[in-house]
Amino acid sequence: MDKPNALSTWLDRPATHISIAAFIVAGMLGALGVKLLLHDGALLNIVLLVAVAGASIPLAIALVQQLIKGNFSVDILALMSIVASLILGQYWVAALVVLMLSGGQALEGYATGRASSVLSALAKRMPQAAHRAGESVVDIAIDTIAVGDELIIYPHEICPVDGQVVSGEGSMDESYLTGEPFLIAKVPGTTVLSGAINGNVALTIRASKIASDSRYAKIVEVLHASEENRPRIQRLGDRLGSWYTPAAILIALASWYFSGHSERFLAVLVIATPCPLLISIPVAIIGAISVGAKRGIIIKDPSILETIETCHVLIVDKTGTLTYGKPSLTTIDCFGDTSSDMALQYVASVERYSKHPLASAVVTAAEQQGLVRLKVEDVSEAPGTGLTGHVAGKLVTVTGRGKLSREQLLAMPPVAPGLECVLLIDGKLAGVMHFQDQPRAESKPFLQHLDSRHHITRVVLLSGDRPAEVALFASGMGITEAYGGKSPEEKVEFVRQATLKEHTLYLGDGINDAPAMMAATAGVALGVNSDITSEAAGAVILQSSLVSVDELMHIGRRMRGIALISAVGGMGLSLLGMAAASCGWLSPIQGAIAQEIIDLLSILNSLRMILPTGSLSDFESRPL
């Protein structure tokens, strides 16, 4: 992509087009004043000529730049109309065309600004300064934060970067990032995420990432990328322009040739000038992005709005996608003098500071049994080593089988279906906790409605879990095609082969799903558990809900319909106007007014995308 120069950047600004529109309006008002007060036709023409020439220069430059790049835009008709109007002495017509062109571009800026206001709010939500701790607290810009800097997060402030708590005991609201509707306890050693809202206690954290690499910045970056990407449906405008522009010129020339009246040539060109007409397509797209953002759906690649409705094969992951990804504790195996209550109490005391998928299950089980949480110190959760902390004077470690010694492995029970974690107290094996993940309440009804509502004719369960577990789960979901024990490489190959035959939609949530998402026609990630998955997906569901996936499908369907109505309907009206103009039923000035009305109708139709709507989901989410 060519880097825009300063002139191109200036010409693309809505303020530029507003200024041009204001300039031509001022010229038209001046000309009207000359006519009413001085009755001087020559001076009137000079005023209009100066206004049109001055306003046309930046517009002409922009159109010429497009032609140099090979973009034979329909806006070239506007330039031809202006030139023809000036040659034929139709200065009022030229002024109206300039006003129509600049006004349309200004309306685009207003419309897209309104549609993308939700995305802008996400960026504005992030603080611009942080409080660096030291001999004295110094306010610094967040883009100057370095890894290792100690920062103070005051009560109710938004955390600027990812990091770890150094001092202070409190809580943070991470629901905006994780979808969890509760506060996460924070003590020295626990992790914090950028974008989280601090509670009532000031915390000192040590930055583990710079601001641009932190979780919240990644989400905002994805949103900005979604606005800049050029989806395939946008090419509809290019395709229409490729035949519409030559057709309009031929009709104009033919009407001039057969009638012998040059004004008919001008009238056809004027009404054929759909200056903001094809703007309606990107307006509809930005509107769809806004609607998605309001519903917790980040549309990273807008082309998914078109492709998701063309997919007939759904390939779906199991854990965290069709299941909640929140296992519940089922049994505890104890060793030595450790009782099940003691094991649960010790593990729950440290796990409340962890973001591990099993942590909430342990904490919930302890709360249900009324076990009191013990004081924990020196919490540490280094990647790949497990969670450690001192509980009641004992060193508690929560880890997996892969970190045990050979002697400890011999004492372990056989591997059972589901998930597990191992408890070590002062380095000795103390217990093994077993967990089971539950299917989402909406999983089965969601899958059942896909065939009739979204033309999904084939559902494939593709998982890395043990084949026996995957087969059992698939039968409960009504899925007839299930494959377990698949590595990320095998997933990619399966998706690639399926996509060669039909359009595929991949739905997953883990890092190992990212390559498969890239291989599918469209990819959707549930949750923001992995930056890698979010980057690979065309859309990210922040609330990790299948209802939101269904909403995404409906948003895409609605956007596509609105964009097509705006583009095709607007051009259809323009063709009718050209026919009337070629027959002499519309003068150039009447054609300019008619085209202005057509363009406004097209853009207003696209703005329907951001209007409030009812439910965008058409299946009933009910317990199994």
Side-chain angles (χ1 to χ4, degrees):
M1 182 181 295
D2 296 331
K3 185 177 180 180
N5 54 40
L7 179 60
S8 298
T9 302
W10 180 77
L11 290 171
D12 287 338
R13 291 176 180 172
T16 301
H17 296 286
I18 293 174
S19 300
I20 295 172
F23 181 82
I24 193 65
V25 167
M28 294 170 72
L29 291 175
L32 187 61
V34 169
K35 180 178 181 180
L36 295 176
L37 299 177
L38 302 178
H39 307 288
D40 188 337
L43 182 59
L44 181 150
N45 288 337
I46 292 173
V47 172
L48 281 178
L49 183 60
V50 170
V52 171
S56 299
I57 291 174
L59 298 176
I61 293 173
L63 292 175
V64 169
Q65 287 181 337
Q66 293 299 316
L67 289 175
I68 292 174
K69 294 178 181 178
N71 298 333
F72 195 61
S73 168
V74 290
D75 285 346
I76 192 65
L77 293 173
L79 183 59
M80 293 180 63
S81 298
I82 294 170
V83 173
S85 299
L86 294 176
I87 292 173
L88 297 175
Q90 298 279 351
Y91 301 122
W92 281 108
V93 174
L96 280 176
V97 174
V98 172
L99 177 61
M100 180 170 55
L101 183 59
S102 58
Q105 295 291 345
L107 180 59
E108 176 195 13
Y110 172 76
T112 54
R114 281 286 306 275
S116 60
S117 60
V118 173
L119 308 187
S120 299
L122 287 176
K124 291 179 181 178
R125 180 180 179 271
M126 198 63 187
Q128 300 302 307
H131 317 295
R132 179 184 286 161
E135 294 182 2
S136 62
V137 179
V138 179
D139 287 349
I140 61 173
I142 64 169
D143 57 3
T144 64
I145 297 173
V147 175
D149 280 354
E150 292 192 1
L151 310 170
I152 297 177
I153 314 297
Y154 291 119
H156 312 300
E157 283 191 334
I158 296 175
C159 184
V161 293
D162 296 351
Q164 288 185 326
V165 176
V166 176
S167 64
E169 296 186 11
S171 62
M172 280 191 171
D173 180 1
E174 298 178 353
S175 60
Y176 202 84
L177 297 162
T178 65
E180 299 294 344
F182 50 77
L183 299 176
I184 305 296
K186 301 297 178 184
V187 297
T190 55
T191 59
V192 293
L193 297 177
S194 61
I197 303 173
N198 193 20
N200 298 320
V201 179
L203 301 175
T204 300
I205 70 167
R206 181 178 292 111
S208 60
K209 293 181 180 179
I210 60 175
S212 60
D213 290 336
S214 294
R215 176 68 64 88
Y216 191 82
K218 291 295 184 182
I219 294 176
V220 175
E221 182 182 321
V222 166
L223 284 168
H224 284 309
S226 71
E227 291 185 276
E228 295 173 359
N229 283 340
R230 184 176 171 88
R232 279 188 284 176
I233 195 170
Q234 175 67 40
R235 296 172 192 161
L236 170 66
D238 299 334
R239 292 197 300 270
L240 290 173
S242 66
W243 64 262
Y244 178 82
T245 301
I249 295 173
L250 287 174
I251 293 173
L253 290 172
S255 63
W256 185 5
Y257 177 79
F258 289 109
S259 68
H261 299 293
S262 58
E263 283 194 357
R264 291 194 184 184
F265 169 79
L266 178 58
V268 172
L269 279 185
V270 168
I271 200 168
T273 306
C275 307
L277 175 59
L278 296 184
I279 295 169
S280 59
I281 297 177
V283 167
I285 292 169
I286 299 296
I289 294 172
S290 174
V291 172
K294 289 178 181 178
R295 296 172 181 269
I297 303 169
I298 299 176
I299 300 173
K300 178 182 178 292
D301 179 3
S303 66
I304 196 173
L305 295 167
E306 178 190 15
T307 57
I308 196 168
E309 270 294 303
T310 68
C311 296
H312 299 294
V313 179
L314 172 66
I315 303 174
V316 60
D317 182 43
K318 170 180 168 284
T319 304
T321 306
L322 294 181
T323 69
Y324 286 108
K326 298 177 182 178
S328 57
L329 180 63
T330 54
T331 59
I332 302 176
D333 296 329
C334 297
F335 301 89
D337 297 333
T338 306
S339 65
S340 60
D341 282 351
M342 178 182 175
L344 182 57
Q345 186 178 36
Y346 274 48
V347 175
S349 296
V350 293
E351 287 284 17
R352 71 189 178 115
Y353 302 116
S354 172
K355 298 190 70 63
H356 191 278
L358 300 181
S360 61
V362 175
V363 172
T364 300
E367 290 176 346
Q368 291 173 346
Q369 296 190 26
L371 298 176
V372 179
R373 296 175 185 171
L374 303 175
K375 184 175 178 60
V376 181
E377 297 177 337
D378 305 323
V379 178
S380 176
E381 191 174 13
T385 62
L387 177 67
T388 63
H390 284 90
V391 181
K394 298 180 181 295
L395 177 61
V396 173
T397 303
V398 183
T399 186
R401 287 179 184 250
K403 302 301 177 183
L404 300 181
S405 65
R406 179 177 297 182
E407 181 181 350
Q408 290 170 332
L409 283 173
L410 292 175
M412 287 282 290
V415 176
L419 303 171
E420 67 178 18
C421 71
V422 180
L423 168 63
L424 302 177
I425 298 179
D426 290 333
K428 296 181 180 179
L429 184 62
V432 181
M433 296 183 173
H434 302 275
F435 304 82
Q436 288 291 336
D437 197 3
Q438 298 299 318
R440 296 178 185 271
E442 69 264 26
S443 291
K444 193 169 184 178
F446 170 76
L447 295 173
Q448 289 176 337
H449 100 292
L450 289 176
D451 185 9
S452 60
R453 299 290 185 177
H454 298 289
H455 311 295
I456 298 291
T457 58
R458 179 186 173 201
V459 178
V460 180
L461 181 61
L462 197 63
S463 175
D465 292 349
R466 288 186 286 271
E469 288 186 37
V470 174
L472 180 63
F473 181 85
S475 64
M477 290 289 104
I479 300 174
T480 58
E481 192 173 351
Y483 303 92
K486 296 296 182 181
S487 66
E489 293 78 11
E490 290 173 325
K491 284 185 175 184
V492 171
E493 184 58 29
F494 183 94
V495 174
R496 184 177 291 117
Q497 293 301 321
T499 307
L500 289 175
K501 301 175 183 177
E502 294 182 89
H503 284 186
T504 57
L505 168 62
Y506 192 95
L507 187 59
D509 80 319
I511 291 177
N512 61 346
D513 294 318
M517 284 183 186
M518 296 293 289
T521 306
V524 177
L526 263 69
V528 289
N529 298 321
S530 164
D531 292 337
I532 297 175
T533 308
S534 299
E535 288 295 329
V540 181
I541 309 298
L542 291 179
Q543 301 304 320
S544 198
S545 167
L546 293 175
V547 175
S548 295
V549 177
D550 192 54
E551 289 177 340
L552 172 62
M553 292 179 170
H554 284 276
I555 290 171
R557 177 184 295 172
R558 187 164 181 259
M559 186 282 298
R560 192 178 186 188
I562 287 175
L564 285 171
I565 290 173
S566 294
V568 178
M571 284 195 169
L573 291 174
S574 294
L575 287 171
L576 291 176
M578 282 188 278
S582 64
C583 294
W585 298 339
L586 288 177
S587 66
I589 193 74
Q590 291 171 332
I593 295 172
Q595 185 57 60
E596 183 74 18
I597 295 172
I598 293 171
D599 293 339
L600 288 173
L601 288 175
S602 297
I603 294 176
L604 288 173
N605 180 69
S606 290
L607 285 173
R608 289 194 300 116
M609 192 66 227
I610 61 176
L611 294 177
T613 59
S615 175
L616 285 173
S617 180
D618 58 4
F619 78 94
E620 181 183 355
S621 177
R622 59 185 183 275
L624 294 175

